[in-house]
Amino acid sequence: MSGLHDKMGARAFQLLKANEQNFWKDAAAELSHCCDYPDIHLGSQWEAPEKEPFYARYCVMGNGRVAPHGPQDKDWRGATFGDVPDPEKLHYALRYYLEKVVHYLGKKDITESVRFAGTGAHVIQDCSNPGHVFNNLLLNRLFPFNGKKLIFMHRIMDSWPIALDKVKTPPVLLGRTVEEAAYLLGEKIIANMDKISADMVPLCQAIIAGRDRTVSRIMQKWNACAIHLTASFWHTAFVLASGRISSASAKRFAVSDLTEHPVVTAYDDRFDRLKYIAAGIPFYKNLYPEGDPPRANMSTNPYPFEAAVNCAYDAEGNPLPLILRDGDTELSGNGFAAGAYSVITFTVPGTVYRELEVTAGIHPASKNNCEAVFAIWCCDSDKPLLASGKTSRDGGVIRFNALLPPECKTLSLLTAGGDGRSSSVWLNPILKSKI
């Protein structure tokens, strides 16, 4: 979006509350220009090295890393060329820039608040653009050069025109503290990445075929989302700097439905199943981990490697309502269903949430009555097993109220036992805020 950041910033400014616009009114043009800072900064090292230190003040974060141009993997490589995005990297960047903007707004410093606000907006906008959240080398393989005309997908997505007048969604408060707001904004952006991935094939097919209306429809959706999140980021900074949050606004952050959070998909030894076995969770042993690697997100048959959200499936792949049976009572709601062995992992900071409340059990449509162990696991803690229990299809449900340690960053829901004819269910998982 290198050609559009300033336009997106200008529209986001127009969506701010009147008092927020008034504070920045004399710097509105600079604010939209500052949304280009990260691109200017990268170019300055070659084109104007004498200017690089100025832009580095805003574009190099406290950890020495440059402001992300899209989601980062565990080694801080951009997803455009990198591995699976690491949520913690995005959360860090958003927290860094939100802290800076809140700090300078609190000091009534228009210049510095605008510069950090624009730079932070660039991060949000890149992380909302299809060309920045998908591995572009994979994109080249999915849509190879056809021998007629070279199509640079990334560049086209970067600069596709926006109908700015159609972007009207007002900004919303993202959280009650910098930590909470940065986390929830990051989770929203990461969840959007999955939806963007689902749009990539029709988007690229439309670009190749010259179906501009389809391209415009898809790109408008994500550019509008980027503008809304930018305005919400700035609005939240103003609210936090003022220290005045209405009780109605605060109340909606008291709990959070875990099904609305993105699932972590990392391959990492932190999720080595031998650790679960050592803690008494009866996972299957694996002599050849290179063929079945430790991963944050896994499931066995009939589910295709990962859990289903808000529904279950039978052995033939037919959808089933997500339910559990507790005696004569049928329980329903949001949640996850997976095979007899599964790991479902989320980024859940213990600095934001104090407790997970969830009901677990075996789906009543399962074809056997094997026992399975359900467990809640935090790999960041010295005592990672936060809660566990055992039940079967006819054995009723387990109700968990697991306290999260302050050091918690990732939270996994584990199931182990049974076979391919049973489904484990986590029903109505609710995170309770620390505030």
Side-chain angles (χ1 to χ4, degrees):
M1 289 187 285
S2 56
L4 302 177
H5 286 291
D6 58 341
K7 297 179 178 64
M8 300 177 88
R11 184 56 180 160
F13 173 79
Q14 294 168 355
L15 295 173
L16 290 175
K17 308 289 185 183
N19 64 305
E20 296 162 359
Q21 288 188 40
N22 187 59
F23 182 80
W24 275 344
K25 65 179 180 179
D26 294 333
E30 184 179 3
L31 175 63
S32 59
H33 171 65
C34 292
C35 293
D36 277 322
Y37 267 21
D39 286 340
I40 299 172
H41 171 238
L42 284 188
S44 70
Q45 61 186 312
W46 303 295
E47 297 163 8
E50 71 281 1
K51 297 181 180 179
E52 193 277 335
F54 169 82
Y55 291 111
R57 167 171 168 74
Y58 306 102
C59 300
V60 177
M61 300 181 293
N63 61 358
R65 299 287 184 176
V66 71
H69 294 261
Q72 308 289 289
D73 69 11
K74 63 183 179 182
D75 296 315
W76 285 94
R77 294 174 299 215
T80 305
F81 310 111
D83 204 341
V84 177
D86 181 354
E88 289 185 27
K89 304 300 187 289
L90 177 58
H91 291 142
Y92 175 89
L94 296 173
R95 184 168 58 248
Y96 176 80
Y97 283 105
L98 186 55
E99 278 182 343
K100 289 290 187 182
V101 182
V102 170
H103 171 73
Y104 286 111
L105 286 176
K107 295 181 71 173
K108 308 297 183 185
D109 189 326
I110 294 174
T111 299
E112 290 297 277
S113 65
V114 157
R115 289 173 179 173
F116 280 105
T119 306
H122 189 109
V123 175
I124 293 168
Q125 292 163 13
D126 272 357
C127 287
S128 303
N129 181 274
H132 284 261
V133 305
F134 199 90
N135 188 302
N136 280 223
L137 299 180
L138 174 59
L139 203 60
N140 291 342
R141 302 309 183 270
L142 292 173
F143 300 95
F145 173 55
N146 61 13
K148 297 177 182 178
K149 182 180 180 181
L150 182 63
I151 298 177
F152 197 158
M153 295 289 188
H154 182 104
R155 192 164 291 165
I156 290 171
M157 295 172 194
D158 247 4
S159 56
W160 197 267
I162 314 169
L164 293 170
D165 59 313
K166 294 183 178 179
V167 183
K168 300 178 180 179
T169 307
V172 298
L173 182 66
L174 298 169
R176 298 162 295 179
T177 65
V178 167
E179 182 75 18
E180 182 178 72
Y183 165 71
L184 290 173
L185 174 57
E187 291 289 275
K188 176 65 174 175
I189 290 172
I190 294 163
N192 283 343
M193 291 177 196
D194 288 340
K195 299 173 184 176
I196 290 174
S197 294
D199 276 343
M200 290 303 290
V201 169
L203 174 60
C204 292
Q205 287 175 332
I207 291 172
I208 292 168
R211 297 196 301 271
D212 288 359
R213 289 181 62 182
T214 300
V215 179
S216 292
R217 174 179 56 79
I218 296 173
M219 289 305 306
Q220 180 72 19
K221 174 173 63 175
W222 294 115
N223 285 332
C225 179
I227 293 171
H228 169 64
L229 293 180
T230 296
S232 296
F233 176 74
W234 293 344
H235 168 65
T236 299
F238 274 104
V239 173
L240 296 181
S242 74
R244 295 188 296 272
I245 300 174
S246 70
S247 57
S249 295
K251 187 176 180 181
R252 68 185 180 88
F253 296 105
V255 297
S256 183
D257 185 339
L258 195 58
T259 64
E260 296 177 358
H261 293 244
V263 178
V264 177
T265 57
Y267 296 94
D268 198 302
D269 286 342
R270 290 183 298 160
F271 310 105
D272 186 345
R273 295 186 291 280
L274 289 177
K275 297 176 182 178
Y276 309 149
I277 294 172
I281 303 167
F283 257 92
Y284 59 87
K285 293 183 179 179
N286 180 20
L287 296 177
Y288 307 102
E290 63 272 21
D292 185 15
R295 54 197 189 274
N297 184 18
M298 65 157 284
S299 182
T300 53
N301 288 335
Y303 299 85
F305 301 116
E306 58 183 332
V309 182
N310 293 337
C311 74
Y313 292 94
D314 64 17
E316 287 72 42
N318 300 306
L320 299 170
L322 193 68
I323 58 173
L324 287 174
R325 198 169 297 282
D326 187 19
D328 295 330
T329 303
E330 183 176 282
L331 308 176
S332 62
N334 294 338
F336 309 96
Y341 295 88
S342 63
V343 182
I344 318 169
T345 302
F346 304 87
T347 301
V348 179
T351 51
V352 175
Y353 296 104
R354 62 178 170 82
E355 184 180 356
L356 172 67
E357 178 182 278
V358 63
T359 301
I362 302 296
H363 196 285
S366 297
K367 299 299 183 182
N368 64 31
N369 195 33
C370 295
E371 282 192 326
V373 171
F374 292 78
I376 300 173
W377 186 274
C378 172
C379 62
D380 314 293
S381 177
D382 290 337
K383 297 180 179 179
L385 183 58
L386 304 184
S388 66
K390 183 186 295 185
T391 191
S392 62
R393 181 194 61 194
D394 300 334
V397 300
I398 308 167
R399 289 182 170 85
F400 291 108
N401 291 86
L403 297 178
L404 309 184
E407 66 271 18
C408 183
K409 295 179 180 178
T410 53
L411 194 66
S412 297
L413 307 179
L414 313 177
T415 56
D419 57 25
R421 296 180 296 164
S422 62
S423 291
S424 54
V425 172
W426 297 89
L427 197 63
N428 296 324
I430 296 297
L431 294 168
K432 297 184 178 181
S433 170
K434 262 195 155 164
I435 300 177

